[in-house]
């Protein structure tokens, strides 16, 4: 089992019994999501924004406009952190202070650099699209060179990380278990609904297999 080494930067202090530094477990959390919360500093102000991402190995790819304030700030800093979280259940206890949630979260730290070589950018955007939906890249038109030139692609190399996971039931005070108050879990999940075709779609264009595969894998 490969783990990230612990340091003051990534060590989980509160709820350390829920912490994990296992690389595979952290990658599984990343692969189950598509949106990460990226933190950065702009003119002395701390800002956090959601960003779509792709992962390959220990590299995370982000992209946006060349005028994107967040990406240019990250490149100036040459480092970043990002958190991905999945909410799995509401934990309803017998007292207000023992209400909680079940979740899986991963926080990443590492270095940032711009990808400028066209083949590298193309490979990074392929990774991004395949992370969003496997098979999508081959079902769309190729990018025009000028589109690629206008796009800022950033590679975030994960140098250290930690996960925090709660996947247990209610934890009430011993004297409260006899109270006539309902307690338990309300499981939550993100699901896909049936694809809706664009109203400007050309005639006879059917929903492609990769879209239906994604729907069938993620529907209720």
């Amino acid at each position: 089992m490969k783990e990230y080494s612990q340091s003051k930067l990534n060590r989980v202090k509160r709820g350390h019994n829920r912490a994990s530094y296992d690389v595979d477990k952290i990658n599984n959390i990343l692969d189950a999501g598509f949106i990460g919360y990226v933190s950065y500093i702009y003119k002395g102000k701390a800002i956090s924004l959601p960003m779509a991402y792709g992962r390959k190995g220990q590299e995370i790819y982000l992209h946006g406009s060349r005028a994107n304030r967040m990406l240019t700030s990250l490149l100036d800093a040459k480092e970043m952190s990002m958190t991905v979280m999945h909410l799995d259940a509401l934990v309803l206890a017998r007292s207000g202070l023992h209400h909680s949630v079940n979740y899986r979260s991963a926080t990443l730290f590492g270095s940032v650099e711009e990808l400028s070589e066209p083949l590298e950018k193309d490979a990074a955007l392929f990774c991004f699209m395949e992370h969003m939906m496997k098979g999508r890249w081959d079902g769309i038109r190729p990018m025009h060179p000028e589109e690629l030139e206008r796009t800022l692609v950033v590679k975030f190399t994960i140098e250290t990380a930690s996960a925090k996971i709660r996947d247990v039931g209610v934890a009430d005070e011993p004297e409260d278990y006899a109270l006539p108050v309902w307690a338990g879990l309300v499981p939550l999940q993100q699901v896909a609904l049936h694809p809706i075709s664009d109203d400007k779609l050309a005639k006879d264009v059917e929903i492609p297999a990769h879209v239906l595969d994604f729907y069938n894998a993620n529907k209720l």
Side-chain angles (χ1 to χ4, degrees), residues 34-41 45-53 60-63 68-75 79-84 106-108 112 154 156:
F34 183 56
I35 301 295
Y37 292 89
V38 177
S39 300
Y40 68 104
I41 301 295
K45 302 294 184 181
I47 304 173
S48 180
L49 291 176
M51 283 287 290
Y53 64 89
I60 298 288
Y61 298 108
L62 309 173
H63 78 282
N68 186 293
R69 183 178 72 182
M70 184 196 74
L71 294 180
T72 55
S73 296
L74 294 176
L75 289 171
E79 61 181 3
M80 65 173 273
S81 67
M82 184 177 84
T83 295
V84 174
T107 299
L108 322 172
V112 178
V154 168
F156 165 38

Side-chain angles (χ1 to χ4, degrees), residues 8 12 20 24 26 35 37 39 43 47 62 78 82 85 99 107 115 127 137 150 173 181 187 194 198 212:
K8 290 183 178 180
V12 177
S20 175
D24 288 338
I26 290 170
I35 301 295
Y37 292 89
S39 300
K43 294 186 177 180
I47 304 173
L62 309 173
K78 297 182 174 57
M82 184 177 84
M85 194 274 277
H99 279 61
T107 299
L115 296 183
C127 173
W137 183 265
R150 291 196 304 265
E173 298 298 329
V181 178
H194 196 276
D198 180 53
L212 293 175

Side-chain angles (χ1 to χ4, degrees), residues 10 149 154:
N10 73 323
E149 177 61 30
V154 168

Side-chain angles (χ1 to χ4, degrees), residues 2 13 15 26 38 54 63 78 82 98 112 141 151 171 182 191:
K2 185 178 179 182
K13 293 183 178 180
I26 290 170
V38 177
H63 78 282
K78 297 182 174 57
M82 184 177 84
H98 285 303
V112 178
R141 72 156 172 82
T151 301
W182 187 90
V191 301

Side-chain angles (χ1 to χ4, degrees), residues 52 67 93 96 119:
L119 289 179

Side-chain angles (χ1 to χ4, degrees), residues 133 192-198 207-208 210-216:
M133 181 178 290
L193 302 181
H194 196 276
I196 301 171
S197 295
D198 180 53
I207 301 173
H210 69 270
V211 176
L212 293 175
D213 287 344
F214 179 88
Y215 163 66
N216 287 322

